[in-house]
Amino acid sequence: MIDFNVPPYIGTELAYVKEAAENHKICGDGPFTKRCHAWMRERFNAAKVLLTTSGTTALEMAALLCSIEDGDEVILPSFTFSSTANAFVLAGAHLVFVDVRPDTMNIDENKIEAAITSRTKAICVVHYAGVSCEMDTIMDIARRHGLKVVEDAAQGVMSTYKGKALGTIGDFGCFSFHETKNYSMGEGGAFLTQSLEYGDKAEVLREKGTDRSKFLRGQIDKYTWQDYGSSYLPSDINAAYLLAQLEQANHINDNRLASWNAYHKAFAPLKERGLVELPYIPEDCVHNAHMYWLKARDLKERTELIAHLKKRDAQATFHYIPLHSAPAGKKFGHFAGKDEYTTKESNRLLRLPMYYGLASEDLNTVVDAVYEFYGVAREA
Ligand SMILES: *Cc1c(COP(=O)(O)O)cnc(C)c1O
């Protein structure tokens, strides 16, 4: 079976994990965590980066820093993972779902403004498949209405928009290092901000509400409870595992992009015949090949295509069930405007095997199976 996902593994992880163990420093914010922070600050030109225990907890930190009060509203797409929404629900917000664009499956920047009310506090964008949302338009709307922008860049590590790393454009950015993401520490994530003021607040939030981070840097001689907070910092063992992969980020990224480009080229003739739709990468976006998706005609055809791929030993999967149609989505939010694309397009989308080290024979097996399904001879 060609797996849908294989967690990244580069080979240097265990040496670093061993070193972390031998350092006798396995709690959070040890030497490997510091190295991950420094690597990301430099690579992504980010003022503040803090490793977290997951993408989910990075989003929770971002939501808590949006100063949401009961009844305040947060705008987000419905086509996303539950964590994007949960973070704001836990912070007390009412969710306002906005439609996606069918070409990128990102929130439609032109439908955001109509969803803003006097209670709106923040916009949370999701860079689906590691392809950036239209950030200039979104940041302009947010500034004009005094809203915070949170970037769920869980899938967007190493992607850029107009040269800027995803996660560094809005007020707060959130990465995931879950095993299904491009770089992994098993479970983990990162919180990013370009604001040093919010960077300080985030440190307190992440360290049980204390100023221990300042204490560890020798800036104060004792640390005390400053504000509300929790424990969002991962073990240095996990950070060691991640650092090994970050140091090979170009190699991992190139490998994934080669697979992505091979799929894209191979499927172009099917697209020309109008049989499938393929991802669109806007001009200002450089993506990280997080995912390769295609769209069948409708739900029925997608179900048949997934079943056909399974017969040919390839795992393909659908993606999000729109949150506004889920029980919790109905309880905690509402869809603003018309659901023109969210439901329809989510029913048609399927994701193909995509991971670091995907063998080209396996990729070709997947492509052949899709051609076979559509009864089209594959061009040499
Ligand atoms: C993976 C993912 C998350 C959650 O990240 P975890 O590290 O699994 O908690 C949140 N949002 C999106 C869009 C994701 O893809």
Side-chain angles (χ1 to χ4, degrees), residues 336-348:
K338 187 166 168 260
D339 171 10
E340 208 175 337
Y341 295 113
T342 300
T343 300
K344 187 169 132 247
E345 301 298 302
S346 69
N347 280 335
R348 302 168 57 205

Side-chain angles (χ1 to χ4, degrees), residues 52-59 79-85 125-129 152-156 174-181 186-190 290-291 319-320 351:
T52 59
T53 48
S54 64
T56 301
T57 51
L59 283 160
F79 184 70
T80 184
F81 191 53
S82 60
S83 293
T84 322
V125 302
V126 179
H127 302 301
Y128 187 68
D152 181 342
Q155 303 174 12
C174 306
F175 287 168
S176 169
F177 299 118
H178 185 260
E179 73 164 32
T180 52
K181 301 306 198 295
E187 298 278 355
H290 174 65
M291 179 194 303
H319 213 179
Y320 309 124
R351 298 173 294 158

Side-chain angles (χ1 to χ4, degrees), residues 61-114:
M61 286 176 63
L64 287 170
L65 291 169
C66 286
S67 314
I68 288 160
E69 284 163 33
D70 251 5
D72 283 347
E73 296 173 355
V74 173
I75 290 171
L76 73 167
S78 170
F79 184 70
T80 184
F81 191 53
S82 60
S83 293
T84 322
N86 269 325
F88 293 98
V89 171
L90 288 170
H94 175 81
L95 308 174
V96 177
F97 299 112
V98 167
D99 210 6
V100 290
R101 297 165 41 150
D103 56 354
T104 57
M105 299 303 283
N106 283 334
I107 192 166
D108 188 336
E109 66 278 6
N110 296 316
K111 292 181 178 171
I112 290 174
E113 205 148 13

Side-chain angles (χ1 to χ4, degrees), residues 17 31 115 155 192 232 239 256 287 309 328 340 345 360 368 370 374:
V17 166
Q155 303 174 12
L192 294 84
Y232 294 123
R256 296 185 73 109
H287 73 107
L309 285 164
E340 208 175 337
E345 301 298 302
S360 53
D368 285 343
V370 173
Y374 284 105

Side-chain angles (χ1 to χ4, degrees), residues 280-315:
Y280 165 69
I281 311 295
E283 212 171 291
D284 295 321
C285 304
V286 175
H287 73 107
N288 62 357
H290 174 65
M291 179 194 303
Y292 199 85
W293 59 257
L294 53 81
K295 287 183 192 163
R297 192 177 311 129
D298 52 25
L299 178 60
K300 180 169 169 287
E301 189 181 87
R302 180 184 74 178
T303 308
E304 289 165 0
L305 178 52
I306 291 174
H308 179 77
L309 285 164
K310 195 172 170 199
K311 266 194 279 170
R312 293 290 174 264
D313 263 354
Q315 245 179 9

Side-chain angles (χ1 to χ4, degrees), residues 234-253:
S235 158
D236 217 45
I237 295 176
N238 297 63
Y241 197 95
L242 178 68
L243 183 69
Q245 298 191 2
L246 292 179
E247 288 179 345
Q248 295 293 321
N250 287 338
H251 167 67
I252 293 174
N253 199 47

